[in-house]
């Protein structure tokens, strides 16, 4: 037999309190003292009451969420945007609207400030600010705080103001630790290893370097150097040739940035006996994993970052939930045998 659905009327009869008061308490509205509110919520939970969130969302004004994202076509942002779009689609029936604000220069505080000001002019209820945002945002963040517009950051929160609701980040330090351990599993003790990063000033990359370096002694590996590519294939290729020219005695490489195409090409062309840990999964990484040039990749699941940012911001705005200041997304290890499971994720 199907169990009877518990309604507000059932809670009202149980407590001898009007349905109007019950509704206010369940929807976190004013006019109900703390003690009674807690009593109502406890009783609702004991009776098995479930809020009809779709009906509830239709009864309130549309929640408009602004997303500030760089125009860069790099896979990093395309994966992130795919996750954002997926979660916004899931919330379509919950009266949630998305608005994208594209910045042309991802390192420009002027472009970012202009986009955030436009968000305020458009009356958004919350903002998701994607990675690579610059410094110099204190003033505009202060204005957003005055207007009670919460901000969820995606990425490098330590490089900017503290006036934000939450930061969704790669667990970068753990990524570096994982890379060191994985290289040790592929190489012998006292092997020489190097790390390539996009930008040493980027906090996420700093943490990857730190996690990697801190773990080398544990696994008996020797650091040859930390090399900065600025996510440029030409620079990465030049650095790789320089390393090989200086010394052929390199056994392992951690590519902590996603521009692996030129590095993989030279390893393949020179038929180097080099063990490689990559980052994320683009077409180049997938190719070199299948070819056996790279042994594994540390998958940051950027789509999950996007989905998580939208969900947390929605829950805070619509359901008044308290959100942790920092939410880390744990990276995963992908090898050739499980690659297909992630190619379309």
């Amino acid at each position: 037999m199907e169990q009877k659905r518990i309604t507000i009327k059932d809670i009202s009869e149980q407590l001898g309190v009007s349905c109007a008061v019950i509704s206010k308490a369940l929807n976190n509205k004013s006019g109900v003292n703390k003690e009674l509110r807690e009593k109502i919520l406890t009783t609702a939970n004991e009776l098995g009451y479930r809020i009809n969130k779709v009906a509830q969302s239709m009864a309130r004004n549309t929640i408009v969420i602004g997303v500030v994202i760089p125009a860069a076509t790099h896979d990093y942002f395309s994966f992130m945007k795919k996750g954002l779009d997926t979660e916004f689609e899931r919330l379509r029936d919950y009266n949630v609207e998305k608005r994208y604000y594209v910045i042309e220069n991802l390192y420009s505080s002027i472009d970012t400030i202009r986009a955030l000001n436009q968000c305020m002019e458009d009356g958004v209820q919350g903002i998701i600010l994607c990675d690579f945002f610059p410094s110099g945002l204190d003033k505009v963040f202060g204005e957003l705080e005055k207007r009670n517009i919460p901000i969820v950051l995606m990425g490098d929160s330590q490089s900017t103001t503290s006036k934000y609701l939450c930061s969704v980040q790669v667990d970068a330090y753990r990524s570096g630790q994982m890379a060191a351990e994985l290289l040790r599993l592929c190489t012998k003790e006292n092997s020489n290893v190097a790390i390539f990063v996009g930008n040493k000033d980027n906090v996420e990359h700093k943490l990857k370097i730190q996690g990697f370096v801190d773990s080398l002694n544990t696994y008996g590996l020797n650091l040859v150097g930390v090399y900065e590519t600025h996510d440029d294939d030409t620079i990465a290729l030049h650095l790789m040739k320089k390393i090989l020219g200086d010394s052929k005695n390199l056994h392992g490489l951690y590519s902590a940035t996603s521009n692996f195409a030129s590095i993989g090409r030279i390893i393949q062309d020179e038929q180097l006996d080099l063990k490689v840990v990559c980052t994320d999964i683009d077409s180049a990484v997938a190719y070199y994993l299948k070819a056996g040039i790279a042994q594994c990749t540390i998958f940051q699941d950027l789509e999950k970052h996007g989905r998580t940012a939208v969900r947390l911001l929605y829950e805070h705005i619509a359901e008044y939930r308290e959100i942790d200041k920092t939410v880390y997304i744990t990276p995963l290890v992908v090898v050739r045998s499980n690659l297909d499971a992630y190619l379309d994720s």
Side-chain angles (χ1 to χ4, degrees):
M1 180 183 294
E2 186 177 352
Q3 188 174 4
K4 176 181 179 293
R5 180 181 176 85
I6 302 299
T7 66
I8 287 178
K9 185 177 179 182
D10 295 316
I11 303 170
S12 173
E13 292 175 351
Q14 178 82 4
L15 294 175
V17 177
S18 72
C19 289
V21 172
I22 300 293
S23 179
K24 285 182 179 180
L26 294 175
N27 290 286
N28 202 29
K29 294 183 178 180
S30 60
V32 185
N33 66 55
K34 182 179 179 182
E35 184 178 346
L36 179 56
R37 185 187 303 275
E38 290 179 353
K39 187 176 182 180
I40 291 170
L41 293 175
T42 299
T43 302
N45 185 56
E46 290 173 349
L47 292 175
Y49 175 77
R50 296 289 179 269
I51 296 174
N52 186 334
K53 292 185 178 181
V54 174
Q56 185 185 63
S57 64
M58 290 300 103
R60 58 163 163 74
N61 293 330
T62 300
I63 293 175
V64 181
I65 294 177
V67 180
V68 178
I69 190 167
T73 56
H74 194 285
D75 281 341
Y76 186 94
F77 298 106
S78 63
F79 288 137
M80 193 177 285
K81 185 175 183 297
K82 185 176 179 181
L84 292 165
D85 288 337
T86 297
E87 193 65 17
F88 276 122
E89 178 64 22
R90 191 187 71 81
L91 291 172
R92 187 173 61 174
D93 293 334
Y94 290 80
N95 212 6
V96 176
E97 178 184 321
K98 66 179 178 182
R99 292 186 188 174
Y100 280 104
Y101 299 83
V102 178
I103 53 176
E104 296 298 328
N105 185 347
L106 69 170
Y107 295 103
S108 168
S109 59
I110 295 174
D111 281 3
T112 304
I113 290 169
R114 185 182 295 118
L116 292 173
N117 282 327
Q118 189 62 54
C119 286
M120 286 188 276
E121 287 184 25
D122 292 345
V124 304
Q125 281 77 54
I127 296 172
I128 295 172
L129 181 57
C130 293
D131 206 355
F132 287 101
F133 39 86
S135 58
L137 302 179
D138 281 357
K139 185 176 180 181
V140 67
F141 269 47
E143 184 60 33
L144 289 163
E145 187 177 50
K146 286 180 185 177
R147 299 190 186 199
N148 294 316
I149 301 175
I151 307 165
V152 171
L153 306 181
M154 295 184 67
D156 183 4
S157 67
Q158 297 182 51
S159 69
T160 186
T161 179
S162 61
K163 296 177 181 178
Y164 59 90
L165 172 68
C166 170
S167 171
V168 179
Q169 299 185 41
V170 173
D171 195 341
Y173 186 84
R174 189 188 301 272
S175 295
Q177 290 179 306
M178 291 168 63
E181 182 173 2
L182 289 164
L183 282 178
R184 179 63 185 87
L185 292 172
C186 299
T187 61
K188 299 177 181 179
E189 189 173 2
N190 292 322
S191 291
N192 295 326
V193 297
I195 174 173
F196 276 35
V197 297
N199 189 325
K200 292 179 183 178
D201 293 330
N202 178 283
V203 174
E204 180 184 307
H205 291 180
K206 283 182 179 179
L207 289 170
K208 287 179 179 178
I209 294 169
Q210 194 64 54
F212 186 70
V213 172
D214 286 352
S215 301
L216 293 181
N217 285 338
T218 301
Y219 300 114
L221 299 173
N222 305 313
L223 182 65
V224 172
V226 178
Y227 300 93
E228 191 175 32
T229 68
H230 297 285
D231 289 326
D232 186 309
D233 279 344
T234 302
I235 295 174
L237 181 61
H238 171 75
L239 289 171
M240 195 66 195
K241 288 181 176 179
K242 182 178 185 302
I243 295 169
L244 295 174
D246 292 343
S247 171
K248 295 284 185 181
N249 197 26
L250 181 67
H251 308 106
L253 176 69
Y254 170 32
S255 177
T257 181
S258 54
N259 64 324
F260 184 70
S262 58
I263 301 171
R265 187 163 57 249
I266 194 169
I267 294 172
Q268 187 174 47
D269 291 346
E270 298 290 333
Q271 298 183 336
L272 300 175
D273 183 15
L274 190 63
K275 306 304 179 184
V276 180
V277 174
C278 296
T279 296
D280 281 329
I281 305 171
D282 58 15
S283 57
V285 170
Y287 169 79
Y288 288 116
L289 276 174
K290 291 177 179 178
I293 302 299
Q295 278 59 56
C296 60
T297 189
I298 297 176
F299 182 56
Q300 300 178 128
D301 202 348
L302 296 171
E303 288 186 34
K304 185 175 181 179
H305 286 65
R307 296 194 306 272
T308 301
V310 176
R311 176 177 53 79
L312 291 175
L313 186 53
Y314 170 77
E315 288 177 352
H316 176 75
I317 295 171
E319 302 175 8
Y320 309 96
R321 293 194 182 182
E322 293 296 323
I323 306 299
D324 290 339
K325 192 71 172 177
T326 305
V327 175
Y328 289 109
I329 305 299
T330 302
L332 304 170
V333 178
V334 176
V335 294
R336 182 164 47 183
S337 60
N338 68 340
L339 175 62
D340 289 345
Y342 294 93
L343 286 176
D344 296 322
S345 63

